[in-house]
């Protein structure tokens, strides 16, 4: 990706670049790769909630939306389960807003500080103690990796009415407040395929 990351108040903003479609490792089976989709600037909570499986996994945190499907295609096993369980939801509570890193807490048994994993240890989180099979060569942890970033979570939504002027079919749609009329038309192409729209 082009662009640089700028972190402020726990949020990471992309400067000089834009989200790109997620890419999969060459060894990932083609059957595990979901259908390509058009990227949007903003996604609603409902948009995110529809991607809630291991083979189609979106999450959001601190206002950004991530497609973790390529990550899960590469990492099988128990460390993937908390992410799969969180698919389609906001996981900001997993992270420290001031740093953008996973939250830390004191383990009540050992008294040691460790990463807070509310639903169990997940991918790229180190084990509590030494483990011979713990790989440290993964590079950037997924929560910092911009290749999974696909857009922003809408701050609010609005409902609009759309009328197809050819068929007189009416639809009430929930859209991000940040979207333009052109983006709304693209988003709901299924409802305006004949390009005869009026909204109110």
């Amino acid at each position: 990706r082009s662009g640089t990351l700028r972190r402020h108040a726990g949020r990471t903003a992309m400067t000089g670049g834009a989200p790109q479609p997620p890419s999969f490792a060459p060894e990932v089976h083609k059957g595990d790769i979901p259908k390509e989709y058009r990227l949007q600037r903003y996604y609603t909570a409902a948009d995110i909630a529809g991607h809630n499986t291991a083979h189609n996994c979106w999450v959001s945190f601190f206002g950004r939306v991530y497609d973790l499907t390529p990550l899960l295609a590469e990492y099988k096993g128990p460390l993937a389960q908390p992410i799969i369980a969180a698919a389609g939801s906001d996981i900001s509570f997993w992270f420290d807003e001031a740093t953008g890193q996973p939250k830390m807490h004191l383990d009540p048994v050992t008294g040691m500080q460790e990463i807070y994993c509310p639903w169990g240890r997940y991918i790229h989180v180190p084990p509590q103690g030494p483990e011979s099979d713990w790989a440290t060569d993964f590079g950037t942890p997924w929560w910092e990796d911009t290749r999974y970033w696909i857009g922003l979570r809408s701050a609010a939504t609005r409902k609009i009415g759309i009328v197809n002027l050819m068929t007189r079919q009416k639809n009430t749609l929930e859209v991000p407040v940040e979207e333009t009329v052109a983006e709304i038309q693209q988003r709901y192409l299924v409802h305006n395929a004949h390009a005869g729209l009026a909204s109110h």
Side-chain angles (χ1 to χ4, degrees):
R1 277 175 207 266
S2 61
T4 58
L5 284 175
R6 183 179 68 238
R7 192 177 295 281
H8 54 94
R11 298 172 185 267
T12 307
M14 179 67 78
T15 59
Q20 300 293 320
S23 59
F24 289 78
E27 64 270 15
V28 173
H29 186 269
K30 288 190 177 180
D32 290 336
I33 299 176
K35 190 172 93 172
E36 289 186 16
Y37 54 89
R38 182 184 178 96
L39 291 178
Q40 300 167 187
R41 286 192 309 142
Y42 289 93
Y43 298 94
T44 66
D47 292 333
I48 299 163
H51 300 270
N52 56 12
T53 70
H55 297 288
N56 187 4
C57 174
W58 292 12
V59 297
S60 64
F61 54 96
F62 301 140
R64 293 165 67 95
V65 182
Y66 296 81
D67 183 348
L68 299 183
T69 312
L71 177 76
L72 294 176
E74 295 176 40
Y75 288 85
K76 308 293 185 185
L79 296 186
Q81 292 309 308
I83 295 173
I84 295 169
S89 70
D90 186 83
I91 56 171
S92 297
F93 67 99
W94 289 16
F95 300 94
D96 184 326
E97 190 169 7
T99 65
Q101 296 298 310
K103 285 182 179 176
M104 304 296 288
H105 78 129
L106 285 178
D107 184 285
V109 176
T110 65
M112 302 283 289
Q113 190 176 55
E114 61 179 31
I115 292 177
Y116 171 65
C117 298
W119 296 353
R121 185 175 151 229
Y122 50 85
I123 296 168
H124 295 163
V125 170
Q128 286 183 313
E131 287 187 11
S132 59
D133 61 348
W134 166 242
T136 58
D137 59 351
F138 53 79
T140 305
W142 62 261
W143 54 87
E144 292 181 2
D145 196 333
T146 59
R147 72 188 174 111
Y148 301 121
W149 175 49
I150 58 170
L152 301 173
R153 183 182 171 115
S154 176
T157 61
R158 59 181 168 168
K159 291 187 177 179
I160 62 168
I162 293 185
V163 179
N164 185 310
L165 297 179
M166 294 183 71
T167 65
R168 300 293 180 192
Q169 181 181 3
K170 296 180 180 180
N171 296 95
T172 300
L173 308 170
E174 185 179 33
V175 301
V177 296
E178 302 91 347
E179 283 193 334
T180 65
V181 171
E183 286 173 319
I184 293 168
Q185 287 178 320
Q186 186 61 50
R187 167 186 282 271
Y188 293 103
L189 194 58
V190 64
H191 298 297
N192 61 30
H194 300 293
L197 281 190
S199 62
H200 55 268

